[in-house]
Amino acid sequence: MAKQPVRVLVTGAAGQIGYALVPMIARGVMLGADQPVILHMLDIPPAAEALNGVKMELVDAAFPLLKGVVATTDAVEACTGVNVAVMVGGFPRKEGMERKDVMSKNVSIYKSQASALELHAAPNCKVLVVANPANTNALILKEFAPSIPAKNITCLTRLDHNRALGQISEKLNVQVSDVKNVIIWGNHSSTQYPDVNHATVMTPSGEKPVRELVKDDAWLNGEFITTVQQRGAAIIKARKLSSALSAASAACDHIRDWVLGTPEGTWVSMGVYSDGSYNAPAGVIYSFPVTCKNGEWTIVQGLAIDEFSRKKLDLTGVELTEEKELAYSCLS
């Protein structure tokens, strides 16, 4: 029997990431090759014409899985009945802007969109926040959409996770699909901690630890970390535009694994509501290693954290606590 269509919201849909993301969703990359979808696309009124152009292209592409398109500048219409919400829209930091100014703009955006999701989304809607500051935008959304379960509100650190996989793959000249179980801890910012202490590579003689194969702790504890942390800036420098296709692809990976499950023995990184695991601050959205099954994520427990890693986990936790305080100060 044919599956019922899933309604997927993409905010900021006329932007760069949105433009890369919507065809991936329509092609089945996010929810599977047998899952029909109805796309809900939201953007701000000045982008209405561009948004309509994206809708025209989706029609022109004749995607078999795409069963309908809603393109609107009205948040209520966009959020009505959605099962998955990918929040790409936000206010980007512009030259000369203070962090608090950017935070204030995003707090007001995420507060209003949270209210629309709270009132109009389908029960058990899964939410992924992509727009920066992603962790704190997700936290604000959680605060103002109390009927959406906290476990259903996440932020994207899968892009950083995939970047880490890519760097190890390039360093060792192995297929990226043979590398697994890197971890991104903490904030989707330059304080994030890409951790390879538990990562492995599938070799002809079985799985081997990344550290054992790389044989260069100075690189793994130095250049590797900064490359992943600053990859977004490096792409802006090269393209004169921010990462779009890699962010869109990572968003699909995040939702697909969350909905359809992670492979046995593999974990991924997701920004989720912290319960204080690994002595991370509770009550913030913090990136942890997770496994997913039956549409639910679970933090991987019991991983050894060495002294070097402990400092990195604490540092990014401090930044997230400061961001939370800054965001809350914008509400008063």
Side-chain angles (χ1 to χ4, degrees):
M1 197 171 116
K3 291 184 172 181
Q4 285 299 305
V6 170
R7 292 181 180 268
V8 182
L9 166 66
V10 177
T11 72
Q16 273 221 97
I17 295 172
Y19 187 70
L21 178 59
V22 291
M24 293 182 188
I25 298 169
R27 213 176 260 293
V29 176
M30 178 178 278
L31 293 168
D34 63 344
Q35 177 59 64
V37 293
I38 296 170
L39 269 167
H40 288 226
M41 303 192 298
L42 176 68
D43 218 312
I44 54 176
E49 200 174 349
L51 187 66
N52 194 45
V54 177
K55 181 178 179 178
M56 289 159 68
E57 285 204 73
L58 286 168
V59 170
D60 294 351
F63 293 110
L65 289 171
L66 186 58
K67 302 303 179 188
V69 180
V70 176
T72 182
T73 59
D74 179 72
V76 171
E77 186 185 1
C79 292
T80 298
V82 297
N83 309 101
V84 174
V86 186
M87 316 301 283
V88 180
F91 192 90
R93 189 169 183 172
K94 294 178 180 168
E95 212 172 331
M97 282 187 79
E98 293 295 324
R99 270 180 78 216
K100 177 146 189 184
D101 299 334
V102 185
M103 188 68 80
S104 178
K105 295 272 192 194
N106 281 294
V107 163
S108 66
I109 291 168
Y110 277 82
K111 188 177 169 184
S112 71
Q113 292 188 350
S115 303
L117 283 169
E118 162 86 0
L119 294 170
H120 303 286
N124 211 31
C125 175
K126 286 178 161 54
V127 182
L128 167 61
V129 177
V130 176
N132 289 322
N135 300 59
T136 302
N137 285 344
L139 183 66
I140 292 298
L141 197 147
K142 179 208 159 289
E143 292 296 319
F144 289 95
S147 73
I148 298 176
K151 65 181 173 44
N152 281 25
I153 294 173
T154 65
C155 84
L156 187 71
T157 55
R158 183 60 175 269
L159 176 55
D160 311 299
H161 182 99
N162 288 350
R163 285 167 171 165
L165 292 175
Q167 289 303 305
I168 297 299
S169 151
E170 295 269 293
K171 181 76 170 176
L172 292 173
N173 196 24
V174 296
Q175 295 297 318
V176 74
S177 53
D178 289 334
V179 187
K180 69 175 189 178
N181 295 354
V182 299
I183 303 167
I184 303 297
W185 297 100
N187 199 2
H188 173 63
S189 75
S190 58
T191 67
Q192 63 172 266
Y193 172 44
D195 177 3
V196 297
N197 288 325
H198 309 279
T200 61
V201 178
M202 181 55 77
T203 72
S205 53
E207 281 188 1
K208 294 278 167 61
V210 162
R211 277 200 186 272
E212 190 183 298
L213 294 172
V214 171
K215 297 187 180 71
D216 186 348
D217 282 351
W219 183 79
L220 285 171
N221 293 344
E223 189 186 331
F224 163 74
I225 292 173
T226 54
T227 298
V228 175
Q229 287 172 335
Q230 296 166 15
R231 187 69 160 185
I235 286 165
I236 290 172
K237 190 169 180 232
R239 287 189 75 227
K240 312 296 180 271
L241 295 163
S242 57
S243 334
L245 82 84
S246 55
S249 182
C252 289
D253 291 345
H254 176 113
I255 296 287
R256 186 188 63 247
D257 286 342
W258 188 4
V259 171
L260 301 177
T262 46
E264 195 66 37
T266 300
W267 62 67
V268 294
S269 302
M270 286 172 62
V272 299
Y273 193 62
S274 172
D275 61 357
S277 290
Y278 295 99
N279 291 326
V284 297
I285 305 276
Y286 192 100
S287 181
F288 290 99
V290 301
T291 54
C292 303
K293 192 174 183 180
N294 301 325
E296 306 272 341
W297 54 263
T298 305
I299 296 172
V300 176
Q301 297 292 350
L303 298 173
I305 305 293
D306 64 17
E307 194 181 344
F308 178 84
S309 300
R310 182 72 260 159
K311 287 178 179 159
K312 298 282 190 190
L313 266 72
D314 291 345
L315 181 74
T316 193
V318 166
E319 183 183 58
L320 278 169
T321 304
E322 287 171 355
E323 271 190 24
K324 177 181 178 175
E325 287 164 4
L326 185 60
Y328 281 45
S329 74
C330 297
L331 292 167
S332 50

